[in-house]
Amino acid sequence: MTRRTWIGWQFVAPFLAVFALVFLAPIVYSVYLSLYRTRLIGGTSFVGAENYTKALHDPQFWSAVGRVSLFMVVQVPIMLLLALLIALAIDSGRLYGAAFFRISIFLPYAVPAVVATLMWGFIYGDRFGLVGNINDYFGVHLPDPLAPDLVLASIGNIVTWEFVGYNMLILYSALRVVDTSLYEAAAIDGAGQWRIIRAIKLPALRGPLLITTMFSIIGSFQMFTEPVVLKTIAPNAILTYFAPNYYAWQLSFGGQQYNYSATVAVVMGLITMLVAYLVQARAVRKAG
Amino acid sequence: MRMRMTRRRALLGAAMSITLLAAGCGSSDDSTDEAPAATTVSDADVEAALQAGGNLTVWAWEPTLTKVVAQFQTKYPKVKVNLVNAGSGNDQYTALQNAVKAGTGVPDLAQIEYFALPQFSLSKAVTDLSAYGAKALDGTFSPGPWTSVHSGEKIYGLPMDSGPMALFYNKEVFDKYKIAVPTTWEEYATAAEKLHTANPKSYITSDSGDAGFTTSMIWQAGGRPYKVEGTDVTVNFDDEGTKKWTGLWQGLVDKKLLAPTPGWSDAWYKGLGDGTIASLVIGAWMPPNLESGVKAASGKWRVAPMPQWAAGEKVTAENGGSSLAVTEASQAKTLAYGFLKYATVGDGAQIRTDEGAFPATTAQLTADAFKNKEFPYLGGQKANEVLSEAATQVATGWSYLPFQVYANSVFNDSVGKAYTGGSTLQDGLKAWQEASTKYGQEQGFTIK
Amino acid sequence: MVAAPTIRPAARRQPLPKKRRQAQPRNKTLTVVTALMVAYTLLPLAWLLISATKTQEGLLDSFGLWFADDFALFDNIGRVFTYQDGIYPRWLLNTVFYVVAGAGGATLLSTLAGYGLSKFAFRGRRAVFAVILGAVAVPPTALAVPTFLLFAKMGITDSPWAVIIPTLMAPFSLYLMWTFSNEAVPNEILESARVDGAGEFRIFFKLALPLLAPGTVTALLFNVVMTWNNLFLPLIMLKDRHLYPITLGIYTWNQQSQTVGGDVVFNLVITGSLLAVIPLIAAFLLLQRYWQSGLAAGSVKQ
């Protein structure tokens, strides 16, 4: 080991130590748990891959995976597109009060997810919440946002609300470092705003967009707080297998199925890694 | 020093090998003042333990216990009771299961609702109290809760409170629409329709699928879907009693006569306050919740006996209610039992009743002071007359599953569809039965 | 998984952004459209603010986006601070402590590690990054039980450690600090310091750390948000309510409405939530200058 290597490891070691304790050890322990089965009657026994076989044939698990996949395919693009448009609008320099817009749109990020979900839960109330108020005042009948077929969209709205500003700021910050002489050169060539966006700004955003996409995808797959909080006001729309992470949590806490819960967590981690990898690989190939 | 040793060892374990965890080398931080008792403990032993003193940790969310603990410590100054609110209901059960599994941090006593007690007794998380003389308490408690803490001959906790069901109704709304207080379910259904027709914003009650409420209603109707003998379990929602209830309730659901407001939400409290939810069939512990959460309707609510399936009958069921149990992991079981007795049958029973809890002890239930207490919130009504009578009318022979906590947690996955229009109650219950059966089999029960 | 990013040199950021921006004509349509977005983001916050002025009864009786008859904001604030023997200020202090220790520690660890990964081309570097990103994909709430059991064996459940140690882990910060180190700390400076005979850690603290400041502040702020909003791990780990962070405390107040004999205090839940959000928003506003430049520098190009 060279001296440089040794010093490098010294800088990284504290982080890795915590990482080992907080992430690796529980993951390894989960993998270990997933190979066993503990029953209320009959105790613990080694079952090998049986839990994995069960997960592969568990319709509830796959329904949960399907739901978050749908969520990912619809919500993530909408949120990132909104974030991109706002970032471009603010960066364009054509807004009145751009600084106010920037910070206002970012503010929801500072609201704890629990509080955010409670607030939106109130607004969604079709009898006493704002939706109910609107129904009363205008004599209309809006569909119940917490009905089983709409609740996923309603969660999408909450998540978008929470994170659109955060993503916008990352994209906006990247636009700020674009060399302005490029714009001047483009302007001299007679390029319009749209041309500048397409030729200069969007390429500059490729990296940040990839990062925000990756984090959003991981976030979608890990959907948890929103269903937990909404369960009390929408008990029939949020099933215990609403999202994989929530399902794993229910299995271990409601049902004491620690082993199977660990299995679901491991499988879900693998799926998330796979999807994140595919997205990244695709993005790199496109760029290349 | 000991703490540091433990941490070092575990850090090593985390970094080097995970087998240490698997081996389950538990260490307990509790002070050990006695060996777990296998033989019978006499009242004198319990009293001696109380005098000798020690430390107890109690997990409970029941607010009136605070005062009980204070008084207890005055009486037994050498005992230090650490009362911890480890979350309500499922949050606490989760914590308790985790602590038991980890083998550390288990309290000496824990509040456990009746429906959840079989699960903890089966997994040996709580201890059999018959060795401590709990059998001698026969007759001290009203029959409903007393049966609920039994598993065969064994007693796994002492009743803290009880929830015999009654009809709480908003008299102002009932009077306004000239609705007589229903005494039978048939009248109740008629009243539901009359109210909702008179004011489309008002509903007789709210229900969006609640496992505790549903099982209690089936209990009153005579259904006995669960049969448990040791590890032999039967789940069957196809009996007469269940069908009686689903027949009635399906009609209300179909005609949209039930407010689709989930219980205990802000919208629910609001509905109880503004008269759009005009009645509740619920446990006798409800008055303090109305007083605290529905201040706007003070003076408007009253209590009446639970509607009956046939005119003239007097049958109720239990809804909710909790026991206090001694954990198997406790290192001070005799002392813990001493506190348990104080809190449930000793001075604590009266203290808690005075604080507003609905007692499970016959002495408190039949006391004149209790029965004659006027509730200003209920317009000065002597509500306990109705409620303590309900406590004597609880139907017998009901039992919960030894995995009811799980079953209840997945209730809305299946029965919930009946409320959103995708299914019927009877079909939903059948699906719930299948889910419960499947879980039971996976957990090693014999399902018959 | 992500290829090592390259960063546009900081030096090129300077030229005249102000002038360019002033040169653009303002556009009303664009402003109005963006304002709609602001309305969307601020509406729920307005609800929170307005609701905090209502009593428990007013909350249930009045229109959500307008004030009730009685203005009870100061009453509510007073009650939040005195309710249950004044436990709220205790929770507030706990949270501040967890944030200082957890977010502060996380920022320190990730700054060290990010710098180390950036400036020392040691063997195993790529493997470290791959493993960390891979682990991020595993849902942490699903790891809650194993983590609990692990901590129970260590005897640190129901102690501040159980809250602090998990929050020391901040993969996004590591990523940010790595890319930031690449950009903000020129290798030439380090080389000349080494030639002068300075030790590596001395170089880091004296030379690199000041250069890394904007990135560190950014990472710190995001870690603060994470720690401040932490709920489910404390929920599992802590039993002693005197150790609760503020989110967990508010959660238990909310749960009281679902408890037999529980005191229903939606008004305190809402006012307590508002008070818990304000310090974070204030921190973001006050430190805006820092984190914006930090984020800008952290943005990457493939």
Side-chain angles (χ1 to χ4, degrees):
Chain A
M1 199 183 279
T2 67
R3 189 182 153 273
R4 297 291 307 265
T5 300
W6 173 233
I7 293 171
W9 277 105
Q10 279 181 326
F11 274 96
V12 183
F15 184 94
L16 288 181
V18 176
F19 179 77
L21 181 64
V22 179
F23 266 99
L24 283 188
I27 288 173
V28 172
Y29 190 32
S30 289
V31 172
Y32 166 83
L33 278 176
S34 70
L35 303 176
Y36 286 80
R37 182 178 62 201
T38 303
R39 309 202 291 189
L40 283 168
I41 312 293
T44 305
S45 51
F46 181 80
V47 293
E50 196 181 290
N51 286 322
Y52 289 91
T53 321
K54 184 179 167 191
L56 291 180
H57 297 96
D58 181 349
Q60 301 199 329
F61 174 63
W62 290 108
S63 128
V65 173
R67 206 168 287 118
V68 289
S69 303
L70 176 67
F71 185 87
M72 179 190 89
V73 171
V74 177
Q75 187 267 342
V76 172
I78 290 179
M79 174 178 69
L80 291 181
L81 186 65
L82 275 176
L84 176 66
L85 291 178
I86 300 165
L88 287 172
I90 293 178
D91 185 65
S92 74
R94 289 163 180 266
L95 287 183
Y96 296 93
F100 168 75
F101 284 149
R102 195 173 60 218
I103 193 73
S104 304
I105 293 173
F106 177 66
L107 277 187
Y109 177 71
V111 177
V114 180
V115 175
T117 314
L118 283 174
M119 287 190 321
W120 278 104
F122 179 87
I123 290 169
Y124 286 155
D126 75 333
R127 280 165 51 73
F128 306 119
L130 276 187
V131 172
N133 290 145
I134 290 170
N135 285 345
D136 286 351
Y137 277 92
F138 299 102
V140 294
H141 192 79
L142 297 175
D144 176 9
L146 295 173
D149 48 344
L150 281 183
V151 77
L152 190 65
S154 300
I155 289 178
N157 174 53
I158 298 175
V159 175
T160 304
W161 181 80
E162 284 178 286
F163 291 105
V164 73
Y166 167 78
N167 288 304
M168 176 273 288
L169 260 189
I170 292 179
L171 299 178
Y172 170 76
S173 303
L175 287 174
R176 298 279 299 169
V177 300
V178 173
D179 193 341
T180 47
S181 59
L182 290 176
Y183 299 148
E184 281 150 25
I188 289 165
D189 292 349
Q193 275 298 316
W194 290 112
R195 179 103 184 81
I196 290 178
I197 286 174
R198 270 183 47 207
I200 305 174
K201 294 190 175 182
L202 286 186
L205 287 175
R206 189 174 288 132
L209 270 176
L210 178 61
I211 285 299
T212 50
T213 307
M214 299 281 275
F215 276 93
S216 303
I217 287 174
I218 293 175
S220 307
F221 276 148
Q222 299 191 350
M223 179 198 295
F224 180 70
T225 309
E226 293 82 8
V228 168
V229 176
L230 289 180
K231 174 82 178 167
T232 53
I233 56 170
N236 298 326
I238 307 285
L239 306 174
T240 59
Y241 49 92
F242 189 81
N245 204 9
Y246 182 56
Y247 182 50
W249 186 74
Q250 281 283 344
L251 285 171
S252 63
F253 291 151
Q256 289 181 276
Q257 291 161 297
Y258 299 105
N259 306 98
Y260 188 50
S261 170
T263 313
V264 167
V266 170
V267 172
M268 208 47 221
L270 289 174
I271 293 178
T272 312
M273 272 191 269
L274 182 71
V275 171
Y277 176 78
L278 288 178
V279 169
Q280 200 252 340
R282 205 177 125 80
V284 170
R285 201 167 51 238
K286 259 191 170 173
Chain B
M1 191 60 217
R2 185 157 144 222
M3 175 87 175
R4 182 174 297 164
M5 283 298 291
T6 321
R7 269 218 329 264
R8 282 250 305 269
R9 192 179 60 189
L11 276 167
L12 196 70
M16 305 290 294
S17 150
I18 215 72
T19 52
L20 185 71
L21 292 166
C25 53
S27 67
S28 173
D29 292 338
D30 291 339
S31 60
T32 52
D33 63 348
E34 62 178 297
T39 51
T40 312
V41 178
S42 73
D43 283 0
D45 296 339
V46 174
E47 189 60 28
L50 286 169
Q51 295 302 338
N55 291 324
L56 288 175
T57 300
V58 182
W59 282 7
W61 63 88
E62 221 286 328
T64 63
L65 274 176
T66 319
K67 194 155 186 196
V68 174
V69 165
Q71 302 268 335
F72 174 81
Q73 292 187 129
T74 320
K75 190 168 178 187
Y76 300 103
K78 287 189 178 165
V79 189
K80 170 93 188 64
V81 179
N82 180 21
L83 180 64
V84 178
N85 182 345
S88 309
N90 282 348
D91 283 346
Q92 194 221 267
Y93 303 147
T94 300
L96 189 58
Q97 277 157 4
N98 285 342
V100 167
K101 193 165 168 60
T104 156
V106 184
D108 298 287
L109 296 116
Q111 175 180 0
I112 299 175
E113 288 159 284
Y114 297 122
F115 82 87
L117 194 57
Q119 177 158 334
F120 286 95
S121 59
L122 184 88
S123 59
K124 300 267 186 301
V126 294
T127 201
D128 176 18
L129 299 172
S130 35
Y132 296 83
K135 283 205 166 78
L137 297 172
D138 206 11
T140 312
F141 299 98
S142 57
W146 185 235
T147 317
S148 304
V149 296
H150 275 75
S151 171
E153 284 301 294
K154 293 178 172 168
I155 299 168
Y156 283 103
L158 294 183
M160 241 194 338
D161 54 11
S162 64
M165 292 176 93
L167 175 69
F168 291 75
Y169 65 99
N170 189 321
K171 185 167 188 295
E172 197 184 72
V173 174
F174 273 50
D175 288 352
K176 185 174 174 192
Y177 299 108
K178 302 196 170 50
I179 294 167
V181 179
T183 60
T184 64
W185 288 115
E186 215 184 312
E187 290 173 18
Y188 184 86
T190 315
E193 196 152 10
K194 191 173 170 192
L195 174 63
H196 193 62
T197 315
N199 179 357
K201 289 200 152 210
S202 277
Y203 296 88
I204 189 90
T205 194
S206 72
D207 185 27
S208 57
D210 178 284
F213 173 74
T214 301
T215 45
S216 291
M217 290 296 282
I218 292 171
W219 181 344
Q220 191 222 11
R224 295 292 177 268
Y226 305 129
K227 290 195 176 54
V228 182
E229 257 174 75
T231 57
D232 291 353
V233 173
T234 310
V235 188
N236 177 16
F237 281 101
D238 212 22
D239 62 355
E240 276 311 300
T242 305
K243 284 181 178 161
K244 248 203 276 187
W245 178 73
T246 53
L248 166 82
W249 218 249
Q250 190 66 53
L252 298 181
V253 172
D254 288 344
K255 292 181 198 159
K256 300 203 186 306
L257 297 177
L258 302 172
T261 315
W264 311 97
S265 61
D266 51 350
W268 186 72
Y269 281 107
K270 186 180 159 99
L272 294 177
D274 66 13
T276 54
I277 299 173
S279 78
L280 287 174
V281 180
I282 207 162
W285 35 257
M286 193 62 201
N289 287 73
L290 286 173
E291 285 165 25
S292 158
V294 200
K295 295 193 180 79
S298 181
K300 295 178 185 170
W301 285 75
R302 298 288 183 279
V303 182
M306 190 177 185
Q308 298 295 314
W309 288 98
E313 274 185 356
K314 289 182 176 202
V315 181
T316 62
E318 288 278 341
N319 180 224
S322 303
S323 67
L324 199 57
V326 177
T327 61
E328 191 61 47
S330 169
Q331 297 294 309
K333 292 202 187 65
T334 309
L335 184 62
Y337 184 71
F339 174 79
L340 176 58
K341 252 183 99 175
Y342 177 91
T344 54
V345 295
D347 300 351
Q350 189 59 45
I351 297 169
R352 297 189 53 256
T353 308
D354 293 343
E355 291 282 293
F358 192 81
T361 37
T362 337
Q364 270 70 32
L365 283 168
T366 53
D368 286 343
F370 178 73
K371 284 192 174 174
N372 293 330
K373 181 182 168 192
E374 292 179 3
F375 287 75
Y377 185 91
L378 302 172
Q381 187 188 10
K382 293 174 182 172
N384 285 339
E385 285 180 342
V386 179
L387 299 175
S388 62
E389 201 183 336
T392 65
Q393 298 166 345
V394 174
T396 55
W398 176 270
S399 57
Y400 285 111
L401 286 175
F403 44 87
Q404 195 72 38
V405 176
Y406 170 79
N408 283 5
S409 77
V410 298
F411 177 83
N412 290 83
D413 287 357
S414 45
V415 189
K417 291 195 177 75
Y419 292 88
T420 54
S423 174
T424 63
L425 286 169
Q426 197 62 43
D427 287 350
L429 287 170
K430 190 161 192 308
W432 190 34
Q433 171 180 328
E434 278 157 15
S436 304
T437 311
K438 181 165 166 272
Y439 179 83
Q441 273 161 347
E442 282 172 1
Q443 292 296 323
F445 291 91
T446 313
I447 305 288
K448 290 187 171 169
Chain C
M1 294 181 36
V2 175
T6 54
I7 294 284
R8 172 180 299 275
R12 276 211 256 154
R13 192 155 18 116
Q14 289 153 359
L16 317 167
K18 262 236 154 100
K19 228 177 192 173
R20 167 169 72 89
R21 265 147 240 282
Q22 275 171 358
Q24 298 291 338
R26 297 282 192 256
N27 184 319
K28 286 203 177 104
T29 318
L30 193 61
T31 307
V32 169
V33 170
T34 317
L36 283 179
M37 195 62 204
V38 173
Y40 166 68
T41 55
L42 291 189
L43 188 85
L45 292 173
W47 176 82
L48 185 67
L49 193 64
I50 290 167
S51 296
T53 69
K54 296 178 182 177
T55 60
Q56 167 70 21
E57 294 85 66
L59 211 50
L60 296 181
D61 288 343
S62 58
F63 176 65
L65 273 182
W66 197 242
F67 297 91
D69 298 338
D70 41 353
F71 186 84
L73 176 62
F74 299 107
D75 267 11
N76 283 340
I77 292 176
R79 279 200 65 207
V80 163
F81 275 92
T82 53
Y83 186 60
Q84 291 176 346
D85 302 323
I87 197 154
Y88 188 88
R90 167 86 200 224
W91 291 340
L92 208 56
L93 285 179
N94 288 344
T95 303
V96 170
F97 173 66
Y98 296 146
V99 162
V100 169
T107 309
L108 180 69
L109 290 184
S110 47
T111 305
L112 275 171
Y115 174 83
L117 286 169
S118 159
K119 297 301 169 196
F120 303 93
F122 59 86
R123 229 179 305 155
R125 182 166 84 152
R126 282 186 157 269
V128 167
F129 201 59
V131 167
I132 288 171
L133 264 188
V136 173
V138 179
T141 35
L143 294 178
V145 172
T147 310
F148 174 84
L149 295 174
L150 185 75
F151 281 17
K153 296 294 173 210
M154 294 163 61
I156 58 168
T157 50
D158 208 14
S159 82
W161 293 109
V163 179
I164 293 168
I165 292 179
T167 52
L168 289 176
M169 203 44 232
F172 179 69
S173 291
L174 174 77
Y175 172 75
L176 189 74
M177 292 316 298
W178 184 5
T179 53
F180 198 82
S181 300
N182 281 338
E183 183 199 10
V185 186
N187 290 329
E188 303 82 48
I189 301 183
L190 301 183
E191 282 310 325
S192 63
R194 280 174 194 136
V195 171
D196 292 346
E200 288 294 344
F201 283 90
R202 198 183 141 75
I203 293 176
F204 172 74
F205 283 106
K206 292 281 172 199
L207 264 179
L209 210 48
L211 292 172
L212 290 172
T216 313
V217 171
T218 311
L220 181 66
L221 270 172
F222 286 107
N223 292 335
V224 166
V225 172
M226 239 175 45
T227 317
W228 194 276
N229 295 347
N230 196 4
L231 171 71
F232 281 96
L233 214 58
L235 174 68
I236 292 158
M237 295 289 177
L238 299 180
K239 294 291 153 288
D240 183 350
R241 58 196 279 115
H242 293 98
L243 294 177
Y244 284 1
I246 209 149
T247 43
L248 182 52
I250 291 172
Y251 176 79
T252 61
W253 280 1
N254 192 45
Q255 289 300 97
Q256 284 182 190
S257 67
Q258 316 219 1
T259 308
V260 174
D263 199 9
V264 183
V265 286
F266 287 129
N267 56 331
L268 301 190
V269 171
I270 285 167
T271 310
S273 302
L274 178 69
L275 294 176
V277 170
I278 287 173
L280 275 190
I281 291 183
F284 268 103
L285 290 178
L286 288 174
L287 297 170
Q288 212 180 146
R289 187 178 303 275
Y290 287 95
W291 55 259
Q292 283 189 356
S293 65
L295 260 186
S299 314
V300 286
K301 279 201 64 171
Q302 278 293 324

